[in-house]
Amino acid sequence: MTSAITSRPVRTASPAPPALGGLGLFTVLLAAALPLVDFFIVNVALPTIGTDLSASEAVLELVVAGYGVAYAVLLVLGGRLGDLFGRRRLFLGGMAAFGLTSLACGLAPDAWTLVAARVAQGAAAAAMLPQVLATIQATTSGPRRAKAMGLYGATAGLSMVAGQILGGVLVAADIAGTGWRSVFLVNVPVVLVGLFLAARAVPETRSAHPEPVDVPGTFLLAASILTLLVPLTEGRAAGWPLWTWLSLAAFPFVAAAFFAVERRADRTGRTPLVPPSLFAIVSLRRGLLLIVPFSIGFSGFMFVIAVALQQGAGLGPVAAGLALAPLAVVFFLFSLAGPRLVARYGTRVVPTGAALQGLGLVLMMLAAWRSWPDLGVVELLPGAAVAGAGQALQLPVVLRLVLSEVPAERAGVGSGVMVTTQQSSLALGVATLGTLFLSLTPGMGMRDALVTTLLVQCAGVVLTGLLSLRLPRTIV
């Protein structure tokens, strides 16, 4: 009897994963807001930057594009490095680097130094942001994860609108004579607070089976993003030289090479940067497909409305930013109600949100058509409020859905893929809808160019609504 008892294997309890408390969640959401705020905060500051630094239109576009492209190119690599070396470590390092590069942007003596600092700032953001989602995935489960992901989605959407509003307020406030520089310098105290909190409240996690960096895949993914985004963002301002067309022609071949290399690595047992097997997860695949048109339309709208209100309607940076305040307020309120609506109606709230967003855009088009050039917060309020409600019923839900079934050990690469898709699409929106608007303005006038661009965005909203009908009905 004794031998039978002693021969039984002794089961040891596996250590429980570290939990993310309320302060830790606040800290990672603060970090999630910073890169998105900084993508949009410069929109209303660009005219002032151009005047102060004697920067051409092409260089000003690089101030926006340099950040966005560096950010998009390095996001998946940032997620993989967090899995490998520890997400808290990469989070702290990325946040510290984001603060230092923000300081460099704010102190830049000339336009090209600002461009270089913005590229470095984008790289720092790419090290920091994937760790936010990966940490949430690895340290929460069940209702706590659903709540955390809902708050992440609300933070992401609100940050994009708040960045533009904050940019206008800071430029106009001209704090201590800093002018446009304050839109970058404001990050420094926020980063210091974030580092203090993160050191105490964010637990360390890493993949149980860390995977080495896929060098060929990293190179080809970077080349794919660069050959698409750089010519689209710089082409119009540069006069569409030959290199822009050669780069766009090369894009499909480089992208195909990236896919072939990743598929071969997956089949032979090596670890690709973006495992094609990850796309077997239906919720991830269909959610990513929906993020693309949504993000293109969102960022394109934000850029176009900032230019139209300042250069066409003659508003100052504060008034141009505050014109979108109703969108931000309604987005926030509906984001809070989102989790309850999803619990009751599932992902059916997403096509409803697309319909509301489309209605909001139509109302803003009518306001621009009737009131131009007297277009401000009052005229835009009905459309902006309805559009904000629609966006809040889409973005937080889809971001939560994409990662809902990704295994915890692949949290880093999953979050990297999702944020790369979102960020690339945001940059693509500025490049495509922004280029369309600026190209139409000389011939059509700014009012008609604005209405036409919003009409094109409406087509994208229709596509988003149709794609949302194929989403899984429930979220795990």
Side-chain angles (χ1 to χ4, degrees):
M1 179 71 68
T2 304
S3 62
I5 293 173
T6 57
S7 64
R8 290 176 184 170
V10 178
R11 294 187 179 181
T12 58
S14 58
L20 185 68
L23 184 60
L25 179 60
F26 170 81
T27 305
V28 296
L29 292 179
L30 177 67
L34 283 172
L36 288 169
V37 165
D38 264 64
F39 184 85
F40 290 93
I41 201 169
V42 298
N43 280 350
V44 292
L46 286 176
T48 311
I49 294 173
T51 301
D52 190 37
L53 299 182
S54 302
S56 67
E57 186 179 356
V59 175
L60 287 177
E61 290 201 6
L62 275 176
V63 171
V64 178
Y67 175 84
V69 172
Y71 186 22
V73 163
L74 297 171
L75 273 165
V76 178
L77 179 60
R80 173 63 57 82
L81 292 175
D83 286 350
L84 187 62
F85 296 111
R87 293 159 188 148
R88 181 175 178 271
R89 181 181 299 178
L90 262 290
F91 179 83
L92 289 169
M95 180 175 275
F98 191 86
L100 289 173
T101 52
S102 296
L103 181 63
C105 289
L107 299 178
D110 55 64
W112 284 108
T113 303
L114 177 59
V115 169
R118 283 283 282 174
V119 171
Q121 190 186 34
M128 175 177 63
L129 189 62
Q131 318 317 325
V132 172
L133 286 166
T135 298
I136 291 174
Q137 288 290 101
T139 59
T140 60
S141 60
R144 289 187 68 248
R145 180 182 294 178
K147 179 181 178 182
M149 287 303 300
L151 288 172
Y152 173 85
T155 300
L158 190 60
S159 299
M160 291 188 272
V161 183
Q164 201 139 311
I165 297 172
L166 180 62
V169 171
L170 288 173
V171 170
D174 193 21
I175 301 169
T178 54
W180 61 267
R181 298 178 187 276
S182 60
V183 305
F184 302 113
L185 296 175
V186 71
N187 292 331
V188 177
V190 176
V191 164
L192 291 175
V193 171
L195 289 172
F196 176 81
L197 296 176
R200 287 154 179 77
V202 176
E204 179 65 282
T205 63
R206 67 181 71 205
S207 175
H209 306 286
E211 300 165 337
V213 174
D214 171 19
V215 176
T218 301
F219 174 79
L220 286 170
L221 176 63
S224 300
I225 295 173
L226 289 169
T227 53
L228 176 65
L229 292 184
V230 172
L232 287 177
T233 53
E234 284 298 299
R236 186 197 63 82
W240 298 106
L242 179 61
W243 69 263
T244 59
W245 298 108
L246 293 176
S247 181
L248 289 172
F251 165 70
F253 299 100
V254 179
F258 169 69
F259 178 75
V261 166
E262 298 298 273
R263 185 173 59 178
R264 188 182 307 115
D266 217 8
R267 287 177 175 176
T268 57
R270 300 196 308 274
T271 305
L273 181 71
V274 181
S277 57
L278 198 65
F279 295 93
I281 302 173
V282 174
S283 55
L284 179 138
R285 185 176 67 248
R286 293 183 179 176
L288 288 178
L289 193 61
L290 192 148
I291 282 175
V292 173
F294 179 90
S295 298
I296 288 173
F298 196 112
S299 64
F301 167 78
M302 297 296 287
F303 175 81
V304 166
I305 202 71
V307 175
L309 291 178
Q310 289 188 89
Q311 297 185 7
L315 299 184
V318 173
L322 291 179
L324 296 176
L327 191 154
V329 171
V330 175
F331 185 101
F332 176 71
L333 295 175
F334 271 73
S335 294
L336 296 178
R340 292 193 296 274
L341 293 173
V342 171
R344 182 170 182 179
Y345 300 108
T347 57
R348 284 176 292 181
V349 301
V350 179
T352 303
L356 284 174
Q357 184 185 5
L359 175 60
L361 286 173
V362 170
L363 292 175
M364 283 190 277
M365 279 190 283
L366 292 174
W369 184 264
R370 291 196 306 258
S371 304
W372 190 264
D374 300 317
L375 195 63
V377 63
V378 174
E379 292 77 17
L380 290 174
L381 191 152
V386 174
Q391 290 166 341
L393 294 179
Q394 296 175 82
L395 183 62
V397 180
V398 175
L399 294 181
R400 176 182 160 191
L401 175 71
V402 168
L403 295 180
S404 61
E405 297 180 273
V406 175
E409 62 271 15
R410 284 190 160 180
V413 67
S415 61
V417 168
M418 185 186 80
V419 182
T420 297
T421 302
Q422 182 189 21
Q423 181 59 37
S424 300
S425 301
L426 289 174
L428 195 58
V430 174
T432 53
L433 291 179
T435 296
L436 173 66
F437 171 71
L438 294 173
S439 299
L440 291 176
T441 297
M444 299 178 66
M446 195 162 286
R447 184 197 69 173
D448 291 352
L450 174 61
V451 171
T452 303
T453 305
L454 292 179
L455 191 61
V456 172
Q457 188 192 348
C458 274
V461 172
V462 171
L463 176 60
T464 302
L466 292 175
L467 290 172
S468 69
L469 298 175
R470 302 185 68 242
L471 295 175
R473 288 298 181 192
T474 58
I475 302 178
V476 178

